[in-house]
Amino acid sequence: GVGLDLSQFMNSENHGDLRAEFNLPPNSKIVLSVGELNKNKNQQVIIRALAHLNDSNIHYFLAGNGPLRDELEQLAETLGLKNNVHFLGYRRDVPSLLKNADVYAFPSLREGLGMASIEAMSTGLPLVTSNRHGINDYSENGKTGFKYNPDDYKGFADGIKRIVYDDEMKNKMGKYNIEVSKRFTVESSIKELGRIYREILSD
């Protein structure tokens, strides 16, 4: 692709505290998704995963607006997660939000490259993602995080729990993801295009 400008994410600082903002205990675990609240983004499977975990210490934050917000809010309330699923609406401080999180959730039904996940990776976040299309171009099960079928809420639940309660795993995946994300920067794309053009011209 044309490459992503990840500098604002790689070099970002945490300028806010979601736990304090929502009066959560300091040791609360945060799962974050950023994107439009629509059917394709499939945020409902993460809400169902939290219900399956039944762990009041794990909170799911959704940054973004969209046509399914009311439906997702109703699902969270129906599953008894009103206090654990938080709808942030449109936010301009996404790099800071990423710094607050423990794991990034990207369970899309279909996706191109999936820029939001790569941005999360560049901040050192492990991923739980669907195993679809462009997401598979950068995600490696057990290395960048964990991948599941889009409807596998039990799988997502297991992946979330394994990451948030294993600091060694979380840190190892986070460091690996920072390196993986560098492959998708503008600079890396320019170098790769240069290599391709040189090969074409030399033929």
Side-chain angles (χ1 to χ4, degrees):
V2 297
L4 306 175
D5 181 7
L6 298 175
S7 59
Q8 63 176 317
F9 297 92
M10 288 179 166
N11 304 318
S12 65
E13 296 180 0
N14 183 355
H15 295 294
D17 188 341
L18 274 178
R19 293 169 180 83
E21 182 179 339
F22 285 82
N23 296 312
L24 305 181
N27 65 338
S28 298
K29 306 301 183 181
I30 291 179
V31 182
L32 176 68
S33 290
V34 178
E36 184 179 8
L37 306 182
N38 62 35
K39 183 177 180 180
N40 180 58
K41 294 300 183 184
N42 197 35
Q43 293 97 341
Q44 59 85 24
V45 76
I46 304 300
I47 297 175
R48 295 184 189 279
L50 259 64
H52 181 71
L53 284 171
N54 192 28
D55 184 339
S56 61
N57 195 47
I58 300 178
H59 293 257
Y60 182 34
F61 285 82
L62 298 92
N65 288 313
L68 288 192
R69 176 162 180 164
D70 290 345
E71 183 176 320
L72 292 170
E73 287 180 336
Q74 183 59 52
L75 176 63
E77 187 167 359
T78 299
L79 294 176
L81 293 170
K82 186 175 181 179
N83 295 324
N84 286 78
V85 179
H86 311 278
F87 294 85
L88 300 174
Y90 177 74
R91 298 283 293 236
R92 301 178 64 89
D93 59 341
V94 171
S96 184
L97 294 179
L98 292 167
K99 290 292 187 180
N100 277 265
D102 295 288
V103 59
Y104 188 82
F106 199 63
S108 298
L109 299 176
R110 58 186 179 279
E111 201 66 56
L113 183 60
M115 182 173 70
S117 277
I118 299 174
E119 291 171 347
M121 294 170 76
S122 73
T123 68
L125 273 182
L127 308 177
V128 287
T129 72
S130 58
N131 54 2
R132 290 294 186 265
H133 307 296
I135 298 172
N136 289 325
D137 290 340
Y138 54 81
S139 61
E140 301 173 69
N141 198 48
K143 298 187 74 172
T144 59
F146 297 106
K147 302 194 292 186
Y148 305 97
N149 290 327
D151 60 349
D152 185 6
Y153 70 90
K154 292 182 180 179
F156 279 102
D158 180 67
I160 289 168
K161 185 175 182 179
R162 289 175 68 185
I163 292 171
V164 300
Y165 286 118
D166 188 333
D167 288 339
E168 183 178 353
M169 176 188 290
K170 183 174 71 173
N171 293 334
K172 184 177 180 179
M173 287 178 169
K175 290 178 181 177
Y176 183 76
N177 286 354
I178 290 172
E179 295 306 311
V180 172
S181 70
K182 293 176 182 178
R183 303 175 193 166
F184 298 91
T185 62
V186 174
E187 294 79 8
S188 294
S189 293
I190 291 172
K191 288 181 181 178
E192 180 64 12
L193 284 171
R195 182 189 66 78
I196 292 171
Y197 287 140
R198 285 193 297 272
E199 287 184 358
I200 293 172
L201 293 172
S202 64
D203 289 342

